[in-house]
Amino acid sequence: MSDKPKIAIYWCSSCGGCEEAVVDLNEAILDVVDAVDIVFWPVAMDFKYEDVRKLKDGELLASFINGGIRLSEQEEIVKLLREKSQLVFAFGSCAVMGGVPGLANMTDREGIFTRVYKEIESNDNPENRVPETETKLDGKYDLELPEFYDSVYPLDQIIPVDYYIPGCAPSPETITDAFTAILEGKLPEKGSVLSPTKSLCDTCPRKDSKPDKIEIERFVEPHRYDKLDDGRCFLEAGIICMGPATRGGCGERCINANMPCRGCYGPPNNVKDQGVRMMSALSSLIKTDEEKEIPKVIETLPDLIGPLYMYGLPSSILFRKKIK
Amino acid sequence: MTETGFEPNIIAFVCNWCSYGGADIAGSMRLKYPSNIKLIRVMCSGRVDPEFIMEAFRSGADGVMVLGCHPNDCHYIEGNYKALKRCNMLRPLLDQFNIEQDRLHLDWVSASEGEKFARVSREMNERITKLGPLNWEKAIGPIRSMEVPS
């Protein structure tokens, strides 16, 4: 084994897009592989949990963990990786904030199991069975499954996290900047998010079209708006664009594809709750000052959690919906 | 304290220029209002960041009041309109989190309206007592949090 620094890449409750983002570095990934040894990466390489257990504490220079925590197995492995790693990076929106799977915090284990295993029309489950942590088969085999938690947790609610690499998925620039900072020893203060601190609006290609004062008379959902490609500020048209409450650094990929920002890079520094911060900004753009008219404008928004917390529900102040 | 033994925990954000004055007058007029309403003086109702309200609910408040100057009377011209729009939008959001909309109340109390301050406080206390405890952290299970490693 060479004496190159060792790293691990692990996935939890995520879609695999973050792994793909690493592969999407294209030829730059060769530089990464030149500089480090990847000793654990379940998606791409055949290593077992046992191999990680055999490592010495702190033997890994860094672990890059994507996905939120939903299963006891994920909690166990990230705790193991924490012991073995000098640095832990929350990689991607799900690990940083919970991400899209975090919207499952609007229900709980029972709600999910009932829907997925009992109600779905195409199911064939006459005994109404749901996953259980222990199953006895033929009275002699003990089968074990990880526990499915009621909520999705961002990584830093389970283990201490040193750095955050946001994005769904992180852009190639964000990833290469992070790798470069690690290898050159130029990491900022611990706890930092490795992306610019200014909001997305600051670098938005549409910012010149933003009027001095935006006045919203009604909110519009993007799929009901046929001028998304007119190059003008989305908020001006009453479309929720998370730009004001979202950190830049993503390369404005959605805006360049004529879609409003959904907030995957998370809030800028010092903002705790991206959703209510955006709600606060949106409400101040409502044109009317009439007490009776304001609720009518707000009623044009059928759902608030979806657009405001697409990525950040588990890291919001309230964390989840109350079920009982 | 009611016969059920539940005394709600109510946080009231009151603006420096009007509503805090109203509360002051209520005191000097010796008006009775529930002692479980905890006042937090802010410079303007428009200063009440919705994060404060969320934080209050998470930290154990059963109800939150935001009291500001009457429309057109704001010391900072339009801060109370900001509060008005925010609270209107926050209510359906709280509803989606399964927090009853009545747990957030916005009202206008001028510096001379000691009577109104006491009434609004009593009514809020009654509403929340009827709704019962919110008990956020207990209701949603443990919220975990970790410190940044040094």
Side-chain angles (χ1 to χ4, degrees):
Chain A
M1 205 102 188
S2 69
D3 51 6
K4 288 192 279 187
K6 295 179 184 132
I7 65 161
I9 304 177
Y10 187 64
W11 64 346
C12 299
S13 183
S14 59
C15 66
C18 285
E19 327 274 343
E20 216 161 293
V22 177
V23 179
D24 275 349
L25 294 174
N26 296 331
E27 56 279 0
I29 198 163
L30 298 175
D31 300 334
V32 174
V33 179
D34 262 348
V36 299
D37 261 334
I38 303 177
V39 300
F40 181 60
W41 188 5
V43 169
M45 302 163 85
D46 187 20
F47 290 104
K48 308 292 183 209
Y49 291 160
E50 218 31 60
D51 300 316
V52 182
R53 288 196 184 95
K54 280 182 201 148
L55 296 169
K56 288 198 276 295
D57 284 1
E59 191 172 341
L60 295 170
L61 171 65
S63 283
F64 297 86
I65 299 173
N66 65 70
I69 309 298
R70 152 119 272 172
L71 301 173
S72 56
E73 178 190 18
Q74 294 160 349
E75 175 162 3
E76 183 190 334
I77 301 303
V78 299
K79 283 183 170 165
L80 179 66
L81 285 170
R82 177 69 263 187
E83 275 171 30
K84 306 295 180 191
S85 316
Q86 294 163 35
L87 298 171
V88 167
F89 290 76
F91 189 97
S93 306
C94 299
V96 176
M97 301 182 283
V100 173
L103 281 171
N105 283 5
M106 292 301 285
T107 175
D108 61 0
R109 172 172 47 207
E110 200 190 328
I112 293 171
F113 279 9
T114 304
R115 176 70 194 142
V116 173
Y117 294 101
K118 295 178 184 171
E119 289 176 1
I120 285 185
E121 294 70 13
S122 59
N123 267 358
D124 181 17
N125 183 9
E127 292 168 51
N128 271 333
R129 298 197 65 172
V130 296
E132 281 161 31
T133 48
E134 274 178 45
T135 310
K136 266 247 198 293
L137 200 66
D138 301 338
K140 50 183 172 176
Y141 302 110
D142 272 335
L143 302 179
E144 220 180 291
L145 277 180
E147 187 192 341
F148 187 97
Y149 296 154
D150 272 324
S151 307
V152 175
Y153 300 87
L155 187 60
D156 65 359
Q157 289 182 22
I158 303 294
I159 58 168
V161 168
D162 297 289
Y163 295 101
Y164 300 84
I165 302 175
C168 182
S171 74
E173 296 74 39
T174 307
I175 300 174
T176 38
D177 287 354
F179 276 124
T180 315
I182 300 164
L183 295 173
E184 293 179 356
K186 287 183 181 155
L187 283 167
E189 194 191 344
K190 279 199 179 175
S192 298
V193 180
L194 303 180
S195 194
T197 50
K198 285 191 170 168
S199 80
L200 181 65
C201 293
D202 198 57
T203 50
C204 179
R206 297 184 174 213
K207 76 170 170 183
D208 292 336
S209 71
K210 189 173 91 63
D212 289 340
K213 196 169 183 212
I214 296 175
E215 292 185 318
I216 293 177
E217 289 176 46
R218 61 189 302 269
F219 291 101
V220 181
E221 293 162 282
H223 61 279
R224 296 186 201 280
Y225 187 69
D226 57 5
K227 285 182 274 183
L228 289 169
D229 55 358
D230 68 359
R232 299 194 59 80
C233 175
F234 289 116
L235 285 166
E236 185 195 4
I239 293 170
I240 298 188
C241 176
M242 293 288 284
T246 303
R247 181 185 292 273
C250 55
E252 300 83 39
R253 293 170 293 181
C254 300
I255 311 289
N256 289 328
N258 296 324
M259 280 307 283
C261 170
R262 290 81 166 273
C264 75
Y265 264 56
N269 287 355
N270 305 323
V271 175
K272 241 182 153 176
D273 193 309
Q274 188 182 18
V276 288
R277 178 54 63 97
M278 188 62 210
M279 187 227 78
S280 186
L282 278 178
S283 64
S284 66
L285 302 178
I286 293 173
K287 185 179 181 186
T288 178
D289 278 340
E290 296 297 320
E291 287 201 56
K292 284 197 176 117
E293 295 300 314
I294 294 169
K296 290 183 193 161
V297 179
I298 293 165
E299 274 169 24
T300 59
L301 262 178
D303 172 34
L304 285 158
I305 298 266
L308 296 177
Y309 289 105
M310 186 172 284
Y311 295 93
L313 185 58
S315 63
S316 70
I317 294 171
L318 293 182
F319 178 63
R320 66 163 4 271
K321 179 181 172 177
K322 188 177 83 167
I323 298 298
K324 277 147 220 153
Chain B
M1 198 80 113
T2 62
E3 63 274 18
T4 55
F6 168 55
E7 184 177 302
N9 207 341
I10 297 170
I11 302 294
F13 293 99
V14 288
C15 93
N16 179 59
W17 304 99
C18 294
S19 311
Y20 191 79
D24 213 20
I25 291 273
S28 32
M29 287 166 77
R30 314 247 161 164
L31 296 173
K32 280 191 179 160
Y33 73 89
S35 59
N36 48 314
I37 296 199
K38 290 156 190 158
L39 300 189
I40 296 177
R41 179 164 61 153
V42 289
M43 289 311 282
C44 176
S45 55
R47 176 65 185 92
V48 181
D49 190 315
E51 282 190 6
F52 301 169
I53 299 173
M54 295 304 215
E55 201 70 63
F57 282 125
R58 173 174 168 156
S59 310
D62 299 301
V64 176
M65 275 205 295
V66 179
L67 303 179
C69 309
H70 283 266
N72 295 322
D73 277 352
C74 176
H75 187 79
Y76 304 102
I77 301 166
E78 53 178 21
N80 50 0
Y81 287 105
K82 284 195 165 47
L84 174 67
K85 292 172 185 179
R86 247 178 230 151
C87 286
N88 264 296
M89 205 157 178
L90 196 49
R91 263 190 225 109
L93 183 66
L94 290 174
D95 195 56
Q96 283 192 286
F97 277 105
N98 222 348
I99 293 178
E100 296 87 347
Q101 302 201 15
D102 275 354
R103 292 193 189 269
L104 174 64
H105 183 71
L106 173 77
D107 222 321
W108 314 128
V109 174
S110 82
S112 60
E113 291 177 320
E115 200 81 57
K116 181 169 181 187
F117 175 83
R119 176 171 57 79
V120 166
S121 300
R122 276 195 308 270
E123 287 170 359
M124 180 74 179
N125 191 44
E126 275 165 31
R127 266 196 306 277
I128 304 299
T129 307
K130 240 178 238 162
L131 282 172
L134 180 66
N135 232 338
W136 190 251
E137 294 220 13
K138 211 175 150 205
I140 63 163
I143 305 181
R144 316 194 201 182
S145 58
M146 281 285 164
E147 280 167 32
V148 177
S150 50

